[in-house]
C-alpha cells in the first residue's frame, strides 16, 4: 500500500469519541432536551419566588413545616447547581453552525452576566443559620436571581405550544397571582410590625376566635391585598404614616398593573382576530357588498351559512397564503404531510415519482361546497379535476333530482378532462352533473398547474396518458379510429415540421455562405479603396499646377527659340 493511500485511509476514518462527549453531551439551545430542562427549572424558581416570601412573613408557616422546607430548599439548590452544569454544556450558534467545543462554550458563558447571577444565586448564605437559627428564610433571597430562567422557559413554551393565546392569558394570571401574593405577605408583615388589631386597617388581633389560624391569616391578607390592587375599595382607611405609604405604593402598582393587564388582553384579542382573518375569509366585506347590491335574502343566507360552516368546522381555503412565509422546501414538506395521502389515492397519480407528487401537492386548492351546490354541469368545459376530501356528492340527471351514483371521501372525478388524450369522444367537456349533498370539502387541481408540473416530467406525462386511455376504454369513451387518425395527423405534422426544420437549416447554411462572400467582397473593396487613397496622395494639388504655370512664362527679352522649346517640352509631369 502506497503512502498516499495510507494518508487517505487515516483521514477518512472517523475520530474516536472522547470520554468527555460520552459523559455529558452538548445540548442544542433550540432542541427538545434543553426545552424540557427549562420546564424543569420552572419548579425550583417558582418555589423560591412564592414560598420564601410566605415563610418569611408568616412565622407559623416556617415553624410548622421546618423539615419539609429544608428538604425543598436544598433540592432546589441541587437543581440550581445542575442548571449551571447544563449551561456549561449548552452550545451556541456561530455563523449558523452549532458550536460544540466545550472550552469555547465555557469561556463564553463565564463572560456573561448570566454566569454571575447564577453564581450569586448559589452563594451559601445558609451558613448564617449557625448564628441566627434555621427560622430566617430571608437569608435565601438571593435565590430570586435565577428568575431569568423562568422567563426564558415561558418564552420557549409560548413558541412551542399549539395554544399561544391561552398560554399568554395563563401567564398573565400567574403574574397577577404572584404580585398579589407578595403584597399580601408584606401586608401581614407590616401588620405584625405595627401591631395586630391596633386599628381597623391592620390584621385583626389573632387572639380573637378564628383569626389565629394560619389559613385564615393568609386568606384575609390575600383578600385585603386583592381589594387594594384591583382598586375595588371597601377597605378601612389608613391611620398611620406607614399605612399611608403602603396604600400609595399599592395604588401606583395597581394603576401600572391595570394598564399592563389591559394591554396584554388587547394584544391577545388582536392576535386572535389576526389569526382568524388569516385562516378564514372576512365575511364582513361580502355582507356589506350584498347589502349594497340588494342581493335577495335566500342567496344572502346561503353565503352566510357557508362562512359560518367554515368558522365552526375550522375549514381553511387559503392554505397557500398561510404557508407563504415558509421556505419553499419546508412548505412542500408541510403540504406533503397534510395532503399527500389524499393525492396518492387518485388512480392516474399512482406509481408516479415522489417529487412529482410533492410538486402537485403544492398546487392543490381546497374548496368547500354548500348543500345543493353544483360542482360541475354536463357540457361545461373541464379545466380542473376534483378530489373528495370529506362529504358526499351525487351524480344527478338534468332535473337535479334523479341520482345515478353517490361519490364519497377518497374518490375523484374530472381527471380525464385535464389530460389531452387522443380519441377522447367527450373532448374536454363534462359528461355528468355533480352536486354536493351536504357540505363537501374538495381539492381542486387545475389543468394549467398540472401542465406546468408535467413539463418537467415527460415520462410521468406519458404514464398518466396511458392510464387515462385505459379508463376511457373501460368507459367506451375512446374512439380508436379517431385516435389513430389523430396519431397519423400528429405524425404527418411532425414530419412536415421536420421537413421545415431541414429547409430552415439549408436556408441558414446558404445565408451563412452569402454572408461570408459579402464580407469577403467588402474586405477586398476596402483594400482597393485604401490602395487608391495611398496612390492619389502623391499627385500634385491644383494650386501647385497653377504656380508651376506661372513660373513657366518667358521673361522679356527672351528669344523666340527659347519660347518654342518651352512650348514643345509641355508641363512638367508628376514627380
Amino acid at each position: 500500500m502506497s503512502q498516499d493511500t495510507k494518508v487517505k485511509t487515516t483521514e477518512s476514518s472517523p475520530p474516536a469519541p472522547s470520554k468527555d462527549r460520552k459523559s455529558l453531551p452538548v445540548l442544542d439551545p433550540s432542541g427538545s432536551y434543553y426545552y424540557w430542562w427549562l420546564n424543569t427549572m420552572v419548579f425550583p424558581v417558582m418555589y423560591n419566588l412564592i414560598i420564601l416570601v410566605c415563610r418569611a412573613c408568616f412565622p407559623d408557616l416556617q415553624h410548622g413545616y421546618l423539615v419539609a422546607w429544608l428538604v425543598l430548599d436544598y433540592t432546589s439548590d441541587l437543581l440550581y447547581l445542575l442548571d449551571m452544569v447544563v449551561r456549561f454544556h449548552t452550545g451556541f450558534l456561530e455563523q449558523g453552525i452549532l458550536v460544540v467545543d466545550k472550552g469555547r462554550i465555557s469561556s463564553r458563558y463565564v463572560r456573561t452576566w448570566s454566569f454571575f447571577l447564577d453564581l450569586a444565586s448559589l452563594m451559601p448564605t445558609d451558613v448564617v443559620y449557625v448564628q441566627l437559627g434555621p427560622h430566617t428564610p430571608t437569608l435565601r433571597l438571593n435565590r430570586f436571581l435565577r428568575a431569568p430562567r423562568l422567563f426564558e422557559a415561558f418564552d420557549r413554551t409560548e413558541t412551542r405550544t399549539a395554544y399561544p393565546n391561552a398560554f399568554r392569558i395563563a401567564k398573565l394570571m400567574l403574574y397577577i397571582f404572584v404580585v398579589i401574593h407578595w403584597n399580601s405577605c408584606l401586608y401581614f408583615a407590616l401588620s405584625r410590625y405595627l401591631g395586630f388589631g391596633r386599628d381597623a386597617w391592620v390584621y385583626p388581633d389573632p387572639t380573637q376566635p378564628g383569626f389565629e389560624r394560619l389559613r385564615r391569616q393568609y386568606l384575609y391578607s390575600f383578600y385585603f391585598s386583592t381589594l387594594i390592587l384591583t382598586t375595588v375599595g371597601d377597605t378601612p382607611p389608613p391611620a398611620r404614616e406607614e399605612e399611608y405609604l403602603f396604600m400609595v405604593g399599592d395604588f401606583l402598582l395597581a394603576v401600572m398593573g391595570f394598564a399592563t393587564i389591559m394591554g396584554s388582553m388587547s394584544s391577545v384579542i388582536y392576535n386572535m382576530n389576526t389569526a382568524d382573518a388569516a385562516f378564514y375569509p372576512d365575511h364582513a366585506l361580502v355582507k356589506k357588498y350584498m347589502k349594497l347590491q340588494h342581493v335577495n335574502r335566500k342567496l344572502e343566507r346561503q353565503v352566510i351559512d357557508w362562512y359560518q360552516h367554515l368558522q365552526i368546522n375550522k375549514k381553511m381555503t387559503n392554505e397557500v397564503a398561510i404557508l407563504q412565509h415558509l421556505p419553499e422546501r419546508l412548505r412542500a414538506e408541510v403540504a406533503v404531510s397534510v395532503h399527500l395521502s389524499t393525492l396518492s389515492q387518485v388512480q392516474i397519480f399512482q406509481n408516479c415519482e415522489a417529487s412529482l407528487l410533492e410538486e402537485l401537492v403544492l398546487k392543490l386548492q381546497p374548496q368547500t361546497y354548500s348543500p345543493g351546490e353544483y360542482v360541475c354541469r354536463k357540457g361545461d368545459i373541464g379545466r380542473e379535476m376534483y378530489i373528495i376530501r370529506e362529504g358526499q356528492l351525487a351524480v344527478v340527471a338534468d332535473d337535479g333530482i334523479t341520482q345515478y351514483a353517490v361519490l364519497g371521501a377518497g374518490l375523484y372525478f374530472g381527471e380525464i378532462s385535464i389530460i389531452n388524450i387522443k380519441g377522447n369522444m367527450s373532448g374536454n367537456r363534462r359528461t355528468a352533473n355533480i352536486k354536493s349533498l351536504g357540505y363537501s370539502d374538495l381539492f381542486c387541481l387545475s389543468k394549467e398547474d398540472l401542465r406546468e408540473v408535467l413539463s418537467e416530467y415527460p415520462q410521468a406525462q406519458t404514464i398518466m396518458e396511458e392510464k387515462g386511455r385505459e379508463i376511457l376504454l373501460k368507459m367506451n369513451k375512446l374512439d380508436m379510429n379517431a385516435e389513430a387518425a389523430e396519431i397519423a395527423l400528429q405524425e404527418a405534422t411532425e414530419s412536415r415540421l421536420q421537413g421545415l426544420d431541414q429547409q430552415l437549416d439549408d436556408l441558414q447554411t446558404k445565408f451563412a455562405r452569402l454572408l461570408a462572400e459579402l464580407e469577403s467582397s467588402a474586405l477586398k473593396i476596402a483594400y482597393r479603396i485604401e490602395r487608391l487613397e495611398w496612390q492619389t496622395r502623391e499627385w500634385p494639388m491644383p494650386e501647385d499646377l497653377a504656380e508651376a504655370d506661372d513660373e513657366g512664362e518667358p521673361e522679356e527679352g527672351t528669344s523666340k527659340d527659347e519660347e518654342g522649346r518651352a512650348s514643345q517640352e509641355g508641363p512638367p509631369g508628376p514627380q
Side-chain angles (χ1 to χ4, degrees), residues 59 61 100 231 270 278 358 434 541 569:
L61 180 65
V100 296
T231 64
Y270 174 77
E358 291 177 2
I434 299 180
M541 300 301 292
E569 291 176 357

Side-chain angles (χ1 to χ4, degrees), residues 339 454 463:
H339 303 313
L454 291 181
I463 295 174

Side-chain angles (χ1 to χ4, degrees), residues 35-47 76 78-84 146 149-150 153:
Y35 169 71
W36 289 115
W37 174 252
L38 282 178
N39 288 336
T40 304
M41 287 302 299
V42 169
F43 296 100
V45 175
M46 289 299 298
Y47 164 76
S76 66
L78 178 61
L79 291 175
Y80 275 24
L81 181 61
L82 292 177
D83 185 53
M84 290 194 67
R146 199 61 69 96
R149 296 294 272 177
L150 177 67

Side-chain angles (χ1 to χ4, degrees), residues 88 103-116:
F88 277 108
R104 296 179 59 188
I105 294 172
S106 301
S107 61
R108 184 176 183 269
Y109 172 52
V110 298
R111 291 196 301 268
T112 61
W113 277 104
S114 299
F115 173 74
F116 295 102

Side-chain angles (χ1 to χ4, degrees), residues 13-27:
S13 60
S18 62
K19 296 182 179 179
D20 191 19
R21 289 186 179 179
K22 284 185 177 179
S23 57
L24 289 174
V26 174
L27 298 180

Side-chain angles (χ1 to χ4, degrees), residues 194-265:
L194 297 176
F196 294 125
R198 290 296 181 89
D199 53 47
W201 189 85
V202 297
Y203 184 78
D205 190 356
T207 58
Q208 297 180 11
F211 289 97
E212 75 282 358
R213 292 179 301 170
L214 177 62
R215 183 174 58 183
R216 181 65 175 271
Q217 293 174 2
Y218 178 78
L219 291 178
Y220 183 92
S221 302
F222 195 89
Y223 170 75
F224 193 87
S225 178
T226 304
L227 291 180
I228 299 175
L229 293 179
T230 56
T231 64
V232 175
D234 295 334
T235 57
R240 304 181 189 184
E241 295 179 355
E242 294 86 350
E243 297 173 0
Y244 278 109
L245 292 176
F246 187 86
M247 291 290 289
V248 170
D250 277 5
F251 284 149
L252 294 177
L253 183 62
V255 171
M256 183 179 65
F258 180 78
T260 303
I261 293 172
M262 292 300 298
S264 299
M265 293 302 297

Side-chain angles (χ1 to χ4, degrees), residues 497-544:
L497 289 176
Q498 291 178 359
L500 292 175
D501 290 338
Q502 184 64 35
Q503 293 179 5
L504 182 60
D505 293 339
D506 296 340
L507 289 176
Q508 288 178 348
T509 303
K510 293 180 180 179
F511 180 75
R513 291 176 181 175
L514 292 175
L515 185 61
E517 294 178 359
L518 179 61
E519 291 178 353
S520 177
S521 301
L523 185 61
K524 292 179 180 179
I525 293 174
Y527 285 155
R528 293 184 63 183
I529 293 174
E530 185 178 2
R531 182 178 180 184
L532 291 174
E533 287 178 352
W534 281 102
Q535 291 178 356
T536 54
R537 287 179 183 176
E538 299 178 357
W539 292 359
M541 300 301 292
E543 294 80 1
D544 297 336

Side-chain angles (χ1 to χ4, degrees), residues 271-292:
N271 291 334
M272 293 175 64
N273 294 335
T274 304
D276 289 340
F279 279 99
Y280 313 110
D282 187 8
H283 62 281
L285 297 177
V286 180
K287 291 170 64 176
K288 183 74 173 178
Y289 172 80
M290 292 189 297
K291 184 177 180 180
L292 292 176

